[in-house]
């Protein structure tokens, strides 16, 4: 029996801090990881960093600050596949508060079913997600002190024109693949007080 190993390109760029980078390696190298590839996305790292700082400023851990997680990614100029949810949807963001180390927060995230399914790609929908960005922020003056944000997503397929070597034309392609079940993480968050599960009305 062979053990699957996830290829992780440029992991040192996958987090805004050493703690975030450590978490990225835990996610990529977990024995339960179903993905063959995780690509670090600088825009997702920037989004995650803005999110953890926003949560610290507000003193809370919440998915819906200035729009839904899916909306935040789209507003940053990244294109999600057309079958991803719209207004209040979250198929891309995992949050935690109150955990000091990457090991501690990873243990807590894996104990939450929805977070584990997302971050380890346990469902077919999540398994095709290959873009990741992570951030960590610490502020002793805030309620949770430590704030974590992880974005893992699939981006709309692109193809680069090969008509000539100097071409940089990129075309967005609509994915034909559909899923019988499109999961939505809803409002689930992980804090030092435990996993909080709230559902949005669709």
């Amino acid at each position: 029996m062979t053990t699957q190993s996830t290829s992780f390109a440029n992991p040192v760029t996958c987090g805004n801090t050493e703690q975030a980078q450590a978490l990225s390696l835990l996610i990529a190298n977990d024995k339960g990881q179903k993905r063959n590839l995780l690509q670090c996305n600088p825009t997702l790292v920037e989004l995650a960093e803005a999110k953890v700082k926003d949560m610290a400023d507000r003193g809370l851990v919440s998915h819906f600050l200035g729009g839904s997680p899916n909306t935040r990614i789209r507003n940053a100029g990244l294109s999600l596949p057309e079958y991803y949810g719209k207004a209040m949807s979250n198929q891309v963001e995992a949050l935690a508060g109150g955990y000091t180390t990457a090991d501690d927060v990873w243990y807590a995230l894996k104990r939450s079913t929805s977070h584990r399914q997302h971050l380890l790609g346990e469902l077919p929908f999540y398994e095709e997600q290959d873009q990741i960005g992570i951030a960590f922020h610490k502020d002793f003056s805030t309620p949770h002190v430590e704030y974590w944000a992880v974005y893992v997503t699939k981006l709309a397929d692109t193809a680069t024109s090969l008509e000539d070597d100097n071409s940089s034309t990129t075309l967005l392609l609509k994915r034909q693949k559909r899923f019988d079940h499109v999961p939505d993480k809803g409002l689930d968050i992980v804090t030092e007080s435990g996993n909080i599960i709230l559902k949005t009305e669709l």
Side-chain angles (χ1 to χ4, degrees):
M1 180 177 178
T2 59
T3 302
Q4 175 176 306
S5 177
T6 300
S7 175
F8 201 14
N10 301 322
V12 74
T13 65
C14 227
N16 68 323
T17 65
E18 289 183 5
Q19 294 91 332
Q21 293 161 17
L23 178 57
S24 72
L25 293 175
L26 288 172
I27 293 171
N29 296 321
D30 192 279
K31 64 182 180 181
Q33 182 59 254
K34 303 300 182 185
R35 301 176 179 93
N36 293 319
L37 173 70
L38 277 171
Q39 176 67 46
C40 204
N41 187 299
T43 301
L44 293 180
V45 174
E46 291 175 6
L47 281 175
E49 184 170 22
K51 185 60 180 276
V52 291
K53 290 180 178 178
D54 190 17
M55 290 193 298
D57 288 344
R58 298 174 188 245
L60 50 82
V61 179
S62 173
H63 286 293
F64 297 97
L65 301 177
S68 74
N70 286 15
T71 299
R72 287 174 66 88
I73 287 182
R74 290 185 173 109
N75 288 346
L78 298 178
S79 297
L80 296 178
E82 55 86 21
Y83 50 85
Y84 273 51
K86 305 298 182 186
M88 297 297 287
S89 297
N90 177 23
Q91 282 105 26
V92 299
E93 182 183 76
L95 302 176
Y99 295 94
T100 305
T101 69
D103 286 320
D104 288 342
V105 74
W106 184 226
Y107 177 78
L109 288 168
K110 287 203 296 182
R111 292 189 63 182
S112 163
T113 299
S114 66
H115 289 87
R116 188 188 69 248
Q117 289 175 339
H118 175 219
L119 297 176
L120 291 180
E122 291 181 343
L123 303 179
F125 179 93
Y126 291 136
E127 187 177 359
E128 73 164 11
Q129 294 179 329
D130 59 0
Q131 303 289 308
I132 188 171
I134 302 178
F136 171 81
H137 182 67
K138 188 170 188 175
D139 186 338
F140 286 104
S141 68
T142 63
H144 295 282
V145 181
E146 296 94 4
Y147 299 82
W148 302 82
V150 183
Y151 285 101
V152 186
T153 189
K154 170 75 179 176
L155 299 181
D157 281 351
T158 61
T160 301
S161 173
L162 300 178
E163 292 178 2
D164 59 74
D165 293 338
N166 296 322
S167 174
S168 60
T169 303
T170 300
L171 305 173
L172 291 179
L173 304 178
K174 283 192 173 181
R175 288 184 58 83
Q176 298 302 313
K177 186 173 181 180
R178 294 294 184 272
F179 296 91
D180 294 331
H181 172 61
V182 175
D184 194 313
K185 293 180 70 275
L187 302 172
D188 293 16
I189 60 172
V190 174
T191 72
E192 68 275 23
S193 300
N195 187 35
I196 300 173
I197 301 175
L198 300 170
K199 294 298 181 184
T200 56
E201 294 185 6
L202 301 177

